[in-house]
């Protein structure tokens, strides 16, 4: 391992997804700072195509919990944010100038999704640096139409994921990532190296056994097969097109 | 403004895109740490669908520079990384188990793009925390087929963006973001508030005038109209489908 380090990198390396929170309130000033830190990330051509919906309304929280597969922390966590790729604001800015902004390009969807994820990762890390913990909720894409109606999202606004935040009430431990050599390629894409995979499978198997006191006996290959050998939210393309994305 | 703060947040707030670099080399140990910090970000269902191609080969750098609209820093910066959404590795992991992983779902493309952006933003901030600066290069999507061939990317691997890194040789200044009230919504999407926009237009106009000593007289509304009132890389959907994405 390298001895290159910084306080920022230490914060990143300490990341774990937190799904249990204390009852302590998170002040609004903290949430504002977390979102402003997100805004400080890069934006492609400075188009600023992200919006965050903070959901405090209890009935809406329950709707979002049900629409995310019933994950209880979506309903109960101190702070729930929905990160949206928002092309609508700029469409409205163009409309105010009498311009009908072209929409529907796959490229625009890429820009808005990527920029919103850059934004969100700053927000997550900012929250962690303030002593909070959190987890991304991709589950809101289970029923994106329900989320869209619940938050009154117009066309050209796509709710990409939620984020639960609060003070941590658990310490699940750091999950070992793929070896760097499997992720960082030199000049050319390197196909899967089965030896590296076998070695990582053992590392992850040991981790799961230790974390679950022997109850979970699996590895990365099995996890991937179980997770990806099925249809992946097959409603998604139709939903995105309903929102005016991916029509060209 | 709030007085909530941390060293991590200060690092984020100091972000500026750097396109000019000193000749100082960046040690490989630093690049390894920057990529490992990216890996520490969350991954949807822990599928780990990102790959980074570090490009040092001079001829490949020139090819990528030309394919990115001729931005000279793509060719000349000390470190150039291409961040790829990589569904191929997991497809190969499934194939090694005799499984033909289902592909082509829009949802998978969303997961891979979002996770790779979370990864990249950790990497960018990690680099900045080590005294480096950098800029995202969406320009590689100008000619994605050229990038794909240059880096020998198989199907199911999509080069989302590049990243130039090195020691900064410029200090372009902090660009003011949209007011928080335009980005952070409460419980429901709020349509564009023209008063807020007018106020921000003035802020950004003042910034551009100051930064360019009066040469650039524009604002956010004009910038958006100029940037978005045109076709956005109309080849993109076809390219993504060639790579096996967005077929369903």
């Amino acid at each position: 391992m390298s001895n290159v380090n910084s306080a920022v990198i230490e914060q990143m390396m300490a990341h774990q997804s937190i799904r249990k929170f204390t009852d302590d309130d998170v002040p609004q000033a903290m949430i504002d700072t977390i979102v402003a830190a997100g805004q400080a990330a890069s934006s492609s051509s400075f188009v600023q195509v992200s919006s965050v919906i903070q959901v405090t309304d209890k009935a809406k929280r329950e709707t979002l919990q049900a629409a995310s597969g019933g994950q209880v922390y979506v309903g109960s966590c101190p702070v729930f944010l929905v990160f949206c790729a928002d092309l609508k604001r700029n469409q409205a800015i163009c409309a105010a100038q009498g311009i009908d902004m072209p929409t529907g390009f796959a490229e625009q969807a890429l820009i808005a999704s990527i920029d919103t994820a850059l934004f969100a990762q700053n927000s997550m890390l900012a929250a962690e640096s303030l002593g909070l913990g959190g987890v991304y909720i991709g589950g809101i894409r289970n029923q994106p139409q329900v989320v869209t109606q619940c938050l009154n999202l117009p066309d050209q606004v796509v709710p990409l994921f939620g984020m639960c935040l609060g003070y941590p009430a658990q310490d699940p431990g750091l999950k070992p990532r793929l070896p760097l050599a499997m992720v960082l390629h030199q000049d050319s894409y390197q196909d899967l190296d089965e030896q590296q995979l076998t070695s990582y499978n053992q590392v992850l198997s040991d981790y799961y056994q230790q974390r679950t006191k022997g109850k979970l006996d699996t590895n990365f290959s099995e996890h991937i097969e179980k997770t990806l050998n099925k249809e992946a939210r097959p409603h998604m393309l139709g939903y995105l097109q309903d929102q005016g994305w991916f029509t060209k």
Side-chain angles (χ1 to χ4, degrees), chain A residues 1-175:
Chain A
M1 289 297 290
S2 136
N3 59 3
V4 179
N5 212 347
S6 71
V8 169
I9 291 170
E10 283 185 4
Q11 186 74 62
M12 291 171 184
M13 293 304 190
H15 169 72
Q16 40 183 337
S17 293
I18 297 296
R19 296 175 174 85
K20 291 183 182 169
F21 305 96
T22 70
D23 291 336
D24 296 306
D25 278 339
V26 177
Q28 186 62 39
M30 210 177 254
I31 301 167
D32 290 353
T33 298
I34 287 165
V35 175
Q39 288 188 272
S42 286
S43 164
S44 175
S45 301
F46 202 56
V47 288
Q48 302 191 82
V49 282
S50 306
S51 276
V52 178
I53 320 282
Q54 178 180 352
V55 186
T56 50
D57 182 271
K58 285 212 169 189
K60 291 195 176 195
R61 280 287 201 98
E62 284 168 19
T63 299
L64 295 177
Q65 177 178 323
S68 306
Q71 300 172 72
V72 291
Y73 33 95
V74 171
S76 62
C77 65
V79 179
F80 190 68
L81 305 176
V82 177
F83 284 79
C84 300
D86 180 359
L87 293 165
K88 183 73 184 182
R89 184 169 50 230
N90 287 342
Q91 193 183 33
I93 287 172
C94 284
Q97 301 170 77
I99 305 287
D100 184 16
M101 187 181 104
T103 57
F105 293 102
E107 165 68 9
Q108 294 172 320
L110 277 187
I111 287 176
S113 302
I114 291 167
D115 279 12
T116 301
L118 302 181
F119 183 127
Q121 182 55 19
N122 258 15
S123 291
M124 176 63 85
L125 196 73
E128 290 169 338
S129 79
L130 296 171
L132 303 175
V135 62
Y136 287 98
I137 305 293
I140 65 165
R141 299 194 303 272
N142 280 357
Q143 296 186 57
Q145 313 87 334
V146 174
V147 176
T148 300
Q149 284 170 12
C150 174
L151 304 178
N152 300 310
L153 306 180
D155 65 319
Q156 296 299 333
V157 178
V158 169
L160 290 179
F161 45 81
M163 185 186 288
C164 298
L165 295 174
Y167 289 96
Q170 65 175 166
D171 182 13
L174 304 178
K175 207 184 287 188

Side-chain angles (χ1 to χ4, degrees), chain A residues 171-207:
Chain A
D171 182 13
L174 304 178
K175 207 184 287 188
R177 268 49 181 174
L178 285 167
L180 191 69
M182 287 179 71
V183 171
L184 177 57
H185 311 237
Q186 295 297 331
D187 284 320
S188 186
Y189 187 86
Q190 292 299 308
D191 289 335
L192 180 67
D193 178 317
E194 299 223 358
Q195 272 197 313
Q196 288 173 343
L197 177 63
T198 302
S199 160
Y200 178 59
N201 272 334
Q202 190 59 54
V203 169
L204 203 61
S205 172
D206 292 348
Y207 163 80

